[in-house]
Amino acid sequence: MDNAVWLAMAICAVGTFLLRVLPMLWMKRHLIRQQAAATDAPMPVWLTVLAPTMIAAMFGVSLVPANQSFSAWLATALGILTTLLVWRRTRSLGWPVCAGVLMFGVVEVVALVAGG
Amino acid sequence: MDTAGNTSPTTSPWRLGAKDALPLLGGYIPVAISFGLISVQAGFSALESTLISALIYAGASQFLFIAMVASGAPLWLVVLMTLLINARHVVYGPNLAPYLPPSRYWPWLMHGLTDQIFALAHSRLPLLAEKDRLGWYTAAALVAWFSWIAGTALGAVAGAQITQRWPLLGDVMPFALPALFLVLLAPRFTSTVWSLTLVCTISVAMLLKLLGISNGAIPLAALAGVAMFYLLQARVNARIKNGVKAHG
């Protein structure tokens, strides 16, 4: 990489870091001020709604398979169903993910073998 | 590992954080290997590719960065587009702020605040005792960061051989990410308003991704979800108001 590309990379790195850290510091300061003033309106409602919807959006985007074949969609559907069933039973984090990936993999392998 | 209840873990918070971050590796390592491989093919060295992953540490924008630099795009445009894609991160810190006990390390630890670490931390931190939160977050963020760096280095050095030898691994392991997001989302389907909001958000995100709007899909779908929430909440409030009037 020449010097100009290094500089661009450094600006991207610092910029991304600031995008992550400055809003957190701003909110921390806001919360401390609210606490000092003994008022009870710490977080704007839209911000608290945005957090779960961001996670839901990440889920939606990650659901679309890279290779959009019937078998990939079937593997996705069965993988999600398995994850949900294991989560309902265990209420844990690791096991449902393992089971979902396993089911997804099994369907992918079966589809590959069946497809020749 | 129990995800319910406001209890302090009996195991060390560091170990718990590392354990909670393990499902992320299924998604991080294959994508990082792909990034390392594509970066080397685009003309970057293995060391440069690894440094990009260590310092920028934001998946989609890194792919865009190397593609634009390799195509000879103006560098100001490369910087602008990279930062624009990462702009969604501005809502993560404020949402975690109420759960972060005072420590001078938090600002530096925000370097590890990726989409997935945010999703994990937003669900997990409220359940942990205050004294355990710094250790939990540090461990989870470090596991994810090092896996991304190591995956990139591996992809840059041996990515071609790995994808040739185990082609299915790269297809199967990334399913850990939707599975993890589902586990983090499932406890939030607590009311009709929230269920409809989340289903709407997921549907819009899928639709935008299918339409090829990959980079804008997350913020746009999330905003659609917020609009849906306010719409439904307004209807509920109006119904309650009418009910009060009818009974009054």
Side-chain angles (χ1 to χ4, degrees):
Chain A
M1 286 201 296
D2 61 33
N3 287 343
V5 179
W6 276 112
L7 183 65
M9 199 270 276
I11 295 172
C12 288
V14 172
T16 303
F17 174 67
L18 292 177
L19 286 170
R20 286 167 172 160
V21 74
L22 290 180
M24 185 278 287
L25 292 174
W26 170 78
M27 181 53 81
K28 280 292 246 185
R29 202 165 298 166
H30 174 74
L31 290 173
I32 290 166
R33 267 205 303 264
Q34 295 283 347
Q35 220 168 12
T39 52
D40 194 24
M43 290 264 280
V45 175
W46 64 268
L47 199 58
T48 58
V49 178
L50 198 55
T53 58
M54 287 294 275
I55 301 172
M58 290 177 218
F59 174 60
V61 167
S62 63
L63 270 183
V64 178
N67 160 33
Q68 287 169 34
S69 60
F70 174 74
S71 63
W73 279 109
L74 183 69
T76 303
L78 292 177
I80 287 300
L81 194 66
T82 307
T83 306
L84 201 58
L85 289 174
V86 176
W87 174 78
R88 282 190 68 155
R89 206 173 162 80
T90 63
R91 300 277 162 167
S92 64
L93 192 76
W95 289 115
V97 175
C98 276
V101 172
L102 197 69
M103 173 58 84
F104 182 86
V106 167
V107 177
E108 286 269 284
V109 170
V110 169
L112 197 73
V113 171
Chain B
M1 181 204 62
D2 187 18
T3 53
N6 191 5
T7 54
S8 181
T10 48
T11 52
S12 121
W14 286 78
R15 195 175 292 177
L16 188 67
K19 192 178 154 198
D20 283 354
L22 284 181
L24 293 179
L25 304 195
Y28 272 37
I29 292 174
V31 179
I33 289 174
S34 305
F35 174 74
L37 176 63
I38 292 169
S39 181
V40 167
Q41 286 170 348
F44 293 88
S45 71
L47 181 65
E48 288 165 351
S49 308
T50 310
L51 277 174
I52 292 171
S53 272
L55 298 175
I56 298 182
Y57 189 37
S61 70
Q62 288 181 215
F63 280 96
L64 185 84
F65 180 87
I66 56 161
M68 286 184 80
V69 170
S71 70
L75 290 177
W76 66 266
L77 191 62
V78 175
V79 171
L80 186 72
M81 292 306 292
T82 305
L83 294 179
L84 210 59
I85 288 181
N86 294 338
R88 68 183 183 282
H89 289 132
V90 296
V91 300
Y92 297 164
N95 269 292
L96 292 186
Y99 310 116
L100 309 181
S103 166
R104 62 196 164 100
Y105 297 114
W106 284 119
W108 302 110
L109 289 168
M110 289 300 110
H111 178 59
L113 191 61
T114 59
D115 297 330
Q116 295 77 15
I117 287 292
F118 164 69
L120 202 56
H122 192 258
S123 303
R124 204 71 181 107
L125 287 179
L127 304 177
L128 293 170
E130 273 202 10
K131 65 178 176 55
D132 293 334
R133 290 176 186 167
L134 183 68
W136 180 92
Y137 180 91
T138 307
L142 284 179
V143 166
W145 190 43
F146 284 132
S147 76
W148 183 252
I149 295 170
T152 303
L154 191 65
V157 174
Q161 292 94 310
I162 292 169
T163 48
Q164 265 172 11
R165 193 157 179 184
W166 295 293
L168 211 59
L169 206 64
D171 290 337
V172 173
M173 292 310 287
F175 189 75
L177 288 186
L180 178 67
F181 288 137
L182 177 63
V183 173
L184 297 175
L185 265 186
R188 295 177 193 269
F189 285 78
T190 48
S191 64
T192 312
V193 170
W194 269 112
S195 300
L196 288 173
T197 299
L198 295 175
V199 168
C200 163
T201 311
I202 294 163
S203 309
V204 172
M206 287 182 77
L207 189 69
L208 291 173
K209 175 82 195 251
L210 286 168
L211 290 172
I213 310 168
S214 298
N215 291 326
I218 293 174
L220 290 175
L223 287 175
V226 172
M228 182 69 158
F229 178 87
Y230 273 101
L231 204 71
L232 292 169
Q233 200 63 51
R235 284 191 65 167
V236 170
N237 290 344
R239 206 172 292 169
I240 291 169
K241 212 172 170 183
N242 288 340
V244 169
K245 267 185 192 165
H247 283 94

